[in-house]
């Protein structure tokens, strides 16, 4: 049976807005929204059940489920432009159709396996009471149910039972879900999120804690297939919930440990955005913390970052990060139009002069933007502009200029300036966000620390092949 990408919505808890998509089979949709009050009944009154419809339960569901897709395929074929109001209208028509089909199906004497599709139709119609009841009947009437259908039913029950505060039932079905296949990390994230939120609503933090821990585990697995912004949000939301649960239980050290783990994960990815979120959360928990002192000790496994991507090199021979092993490398992500970036230039100049003979290499990481100072520029014109810019601000280190956003995605850049500091092994050891004096002080201290760390003898030759030329 062909799958379609349909989504669960996640409960909005008092701590964070955590939204997730349940991807198990693509058949359970809108499970997290508030039940429709009267709308489904209104439609069924206007358009009664199709008593002469002899299609099977699965045929009725597939017809309702594919309604939106077929409509938009038709509109695309006719060359119709996108219209949000039309989209909302089509989705409402789908809900109405699902309501009619569910009414038709409910009037029959059903086999237990058919109640699964009745549950899906109710869910599609946003009749969550009906969906919960149907999925309960499906699992109780089909004790040997397995595969996607059983997992979909368990997942829907977990969500609806947790919404209603029926936590023993939700716990039981979640345990069954966790012990069976197939399952997707993103689904587990959604379900654990519902459980944490439900226990928070009851102020039962002891029972919330194991679900918060599983939420983070699921986030780490699910995040591997996400765009960096969605990935970072998922990981940060999980740590927010976990750390808040620990704080509610008066376990401050455990809360900080969770945030520190997030910071380590940001270094390993690497992600400047996630690093920033980890710092923000740490300071919420411990406003007076000396973050640099805590971060100075490398408590994470060395992680080699992605190779940088560059279309053009300025005052620098084309190279790879691998060529710079044995040196301390500073990757400064900036743009000519960025005011805070300009604040950092004198500091970077000073770092270059102080440490270039001791093994520091600075790379100015920027992109072709196609414009500068209100003028549209060709790539050649933009190169000329960057050369003049470099002279004007007396920047003594080379630039790597990309014609795509690959570097931004690979390094999780959500704002500039963002600086990555790599040790002599090539591992990211520190990330600096922004242009504040505190950031500058921390960066200087970390550069000094990494410079003083001994280079691996086998990598000393790298120093000879990666010399930069000053303008």
């Amino acid at each position: 049976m062909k799958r379609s990408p349909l989504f669960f919505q996640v409960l909005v808890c008092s701590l964070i807005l955590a939204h997730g998509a349940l991807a198990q089979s693509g058949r359970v949709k809108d499970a997290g929204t508030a039940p429709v009050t009267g709308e489904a009944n209104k439609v069924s009154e206007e358009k009664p059940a199709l008593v002469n419809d002899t299609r099977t339960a699965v045929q009725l569901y597939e017809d309702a489920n594919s309604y939106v897709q077929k409509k938009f395929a038709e509109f695309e074929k006719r060359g119709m432009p996108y219209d949000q109001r039309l989209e909302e209208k089509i989705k409402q028509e789908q809900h109405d159709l699902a309501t009619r089909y569910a009414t038709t199906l409910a009037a029959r004497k059903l086999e237990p396996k058919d109640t699964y599709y009745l549950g899906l139709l109710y869910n599609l119609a946003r009749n969550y009471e009906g969906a919960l009841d149907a999925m309960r009947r499906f699992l109780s009437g089909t004790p040997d149910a397995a595969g996607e259908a059983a997992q979909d039913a368990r997942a829907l029950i977990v969500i609806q039972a947790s919404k209603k505060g029926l936590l023993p039932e939700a716990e039981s079905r979640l345990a069954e879900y966790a012990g069976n296949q197939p399952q997707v990390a993103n689904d587990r994230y959604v379900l654990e999120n519902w459980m944490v939120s439900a226990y928070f609503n009851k102020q039962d933090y002891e029972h919330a804690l194991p679900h918060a821990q599983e939420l983070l585990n699921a986030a780490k697995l699910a995040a591997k297939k996400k765009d960096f912004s969605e990935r970072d949000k998922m990981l940060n939301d999980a740590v927010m919930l976990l750390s808040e649960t620990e704080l509610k239980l008066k376990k401050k050290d455990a809360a900080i440990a969770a945030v520190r783990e997030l910071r380590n994960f940001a270094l390993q990815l690497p992600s400047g955005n996630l690093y920033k979120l980890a710092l923000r959360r740490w300071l919420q928990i411990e406003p007076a913390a000396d973050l640099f002192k805590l971060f100075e000790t490398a408590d994470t496994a060395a992680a080699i970052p992605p190779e940088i991507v560059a279309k053009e090199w300025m005052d620098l021979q084309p190279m790879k990060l691998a060529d710079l092993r044995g040196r301390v490398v500073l990757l400064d992500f900036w743009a000519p139009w960025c005011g805070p970036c300009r604040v950092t230039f004198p500091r970077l100049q000073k770092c270059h002069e102080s440490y270039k003979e001791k093994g520091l290499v600075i790379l100015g990481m920027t992109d072709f933007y196609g414009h500068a100072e209100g003028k549209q520029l060709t790539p050649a014109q933009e190169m000329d502009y960057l050369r003049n810019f470099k002279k004007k601000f007396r920047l003594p280190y080379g630039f790597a200029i990309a014609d795509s956003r690959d570097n931004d995605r690979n390094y999780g850049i959500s704002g500039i300036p963002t600086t990555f500091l790599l040790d002599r092994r090539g591992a990211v050891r520190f990330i600096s966000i922004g242009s504040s004096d505190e950031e500058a002080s921390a960066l200087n201290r970390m550069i000094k620390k990494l410079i003083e760390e001994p280079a691996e003898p086998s990598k000393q030759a790298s120093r000879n092949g990666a010399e930069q030329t000053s303008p």
Side-chain angles (χ1 to χ4, degrees):
M1 189 178 302
K2 186 176 180 180
R3 302 179 185 180
S4 57
L6 303 175
F7 301 94
F8 274 124
Q9 296 176 6
V10 181
L11 179 69
V12 179
C13 73
S14 58
L15 304 177
I16 59 173
L17 283 173
H19 293 278
L22 194 60
Q24 182 62 48
S25 69
R27 284 191 282 265
V28 183
K29 182 180 182 181
D30 291 336
T33 56
V36 175
T37 56
E39 188 64 29
N41 291 333
K42 177 181 176 183
V43 174
S44 63
E45 289 170 5
E46 294 175 352
K47 297 181 179 180
L50 305 176
V51 294
N52 295 323
D53 196 327
T54 60
R55 286 177 291 176
T56 64
V58 64
Q59 288 171 334
L60 289 172
Y61 171 70
E62 287 296 329
D63 187 44
N65 187 48
S66 62
Y67 183 82
V68 171
Q69 183 180 353
K70 288 188 292 188
K71 280 289 185 180
F72 277 100
E74 177 186 334
F75 295 153
E76 185 176 355
K77 186 176 181 179
R78 291 161 56 185
M80 294 176 62
Y82 171 77
D83 186 318
Q84 184 176 356
R85 289 176 298 180
L86 180 61
E87 178 182 1
E88 292 170 356
K89 177 178 179 293
I90 296 302
K91 288 182 177 179
Q92 185 58 52
E93 290 175 0
Q94 182 186 46
H95 297 319
D96 297 345
L97 184 63
T99 299
R100 293 168 58 204
Y101 285 173
T103 305
T104 297
L105 201 56
R108 300 177 185 173
K109 184 177 180 179
L110 298 175
E111 294 292 329
K113 64 180 182 180
D114 291 332
T115 59
Y116 168 68
Y117 293 102
L118 177 61
L120 292 181
L121 279 168
Y122 276 136
N123 193 61
L124 192 58
R126 297 181 293 194
N127 180 347
Y128 302 121
E129 287 284 353
L132 176 59
D133 178 66
M135 291 308 189
R136 284 169 171 165
R137 288 162 52 196
F138 167 64
L139 290 178
S140 63
T142 318
D144 59 346
E148 291 177 355
Q151 292 292 73
D152 286 344
R154 291 168 183 138
L156 191 146
I157 291 173
V158 170
I159 293 175
Q160 298 306 327
S162 63
K163 282 171 59 178
K164 296 167 70 68
L166 304 175
L167 294 176
E169 181 180 16
E171 288 278 14
S172 175
R173 293 304 185 186
L174 179 56
E176 291 174 2
Y177 179 90
N180 285 276
Q181 294 294 334
Q183 57 179 281
V184 180
N186 198 74
D187 301 358
R188 185 68 181 272
Y189 177 89
V190 173
L191 300 179
E192 297 293 353
N193 199 332
W194 279 98
M195 296 300 296
V196 175
S197 300
Y199 280 119
F200 256 81
N201 288 339
K202 291 181 175 292
Q203 299 184 357
D204 184 350
Y205 306 117
E206 287 286 354
H207 284 94
L209 182 59
H211 292 289
Q213 292 166 337
E214 287 298 332
L215 181 71
L216 180 56
N217 292 336
K220 290 178 181 177
L221 293 174
K224 295 177 181 179
K225 297 182 180 180
K226 302 289 184 181
D227 169 82
F228 89 84
S229 59
E230 187 180 359
R231 173 200 68 197
D232 290 355
K233 182 183 186 304
M234 176 177 280
L235 290 165
N236 181 63
D237 285 353
V239 168
M240 285 281 285
L241 268 179
L242 177 56
S243 61
E244 190 65 23
T245 306
E246 299 282 15
L247 290 175
K248 292 293 187 182
L249 294 170
K250 303 187 184 307
K251 298 178 180 178
K252 184 177 178 181
D253 289 345
I256 292 175
V259 178
R260 187 162 185 156
E261 183 182 359
L262 184 66
R263 172 261 181 183
N264 292 345
F265 204 50
L267 290 173
Q268 291 173 335
L269 286 170
S271 173
N273 180 54
L274 190 61
Y275 196 86
K276 175 177 64 179
L277 294 171
L279 294 188
R280 183 180 299 166
R281 180 57 178 161
W282 201 322
L283 290 173
Q284 287 173 347
I285 297 173
E286 196 169 27
D290 182 346
L291 296 177
F292 178 79
K293 183 177 180 179
L294 294 169
F295 289 174
E296 192 171 18
T297 302
D299 57 356
T300 182
I304 306 302
E307 280 295 347
I308 57 177
V309 177
K311 176 69 173 178
E312 298 288 349
W313 301 80
M314 186 172 292
D315 295 332
L316 187 67
Q317 292 297 316
M319 64 176 64
K320 295 182 178 180
L321 292 178
D323 299 330
L324 298 174
R325 301 288 164 75
R327 309 193 74 173
V328 175
V329 179
L330 189 156
L331 303 178
D332 179 47
F333 285 81
W334 69 285
W337 42 262
C338 168
C341 297
R342 299 186 183 195
V343 174
T344 67
F345 290 161
R347 301 166 183 168
L348 294 177
Q349 291 169 354
K350 186 174 181 180
C351 288
H352 176 81
E353 294 303 322
S354 299
Y355 296 110
K356 65 179 180 180
E357 299 301 328
K358 298 180 180 180
L360 178 66
V361 175
I362 299 178
L363 300 179
M365 307 291 298
T366 192
D367 297 329
F368 282 112
Y369 292 97
H371 60 85
E373 299 181 9
K375 298 179 181 178
Q376 296 298 311
L377 301 176
T378 65
Q381 291 171 330
E382 195 165 358
M383 283 294 288
D384 289 338
Y385 172 80
L386 288 172
R387 286 190 189 93
N388 292 330
F389 185 98
K390 195 170 183 296
K391 277 184 188 176
K392 177 180 178 180
F393 287 91
R394 301 178 181 177
L395 299 177
Y397 48 83
F399 293 174
I401 308 156
D403 62 352
S404 70
R405 297 294 178 265
D406 288 347
N407 291 322
D408 295 345
R409 286 189 289 268
N410 290 341
Y411 283 81
I413 305 298
S414 62
I416 50 177
T418 297
T419 300
F420 293 77
L421 197 59
L422 283 59
D423 64 17
R424 296 182 188 274
R425 298 167 300 161
V428 177
R429 292 280 294 280
F430 191 74
I431 303 174
S432 178
I433 311 289
S435 59
S436 69
D437 291 341
E438 292 80 6
E439 288 289 342
S441 175
L443 180 61
N444 284 337
R445 289 165 64 184
M446 198 64 182
I447 290 173
K448 186 173 185 296
K449 173 181 171 57
L450 297 188
I451 287 293
E452 291 173 352
E453 290 180 355
E456 298 177 30
S458 60
K459 300 298 182 182
Q460 289 287 357
S462 297
R463 297 171 62 94
N464 300 324
E467 296 298 330
Q468 302 182 78
T469 57
S470 299

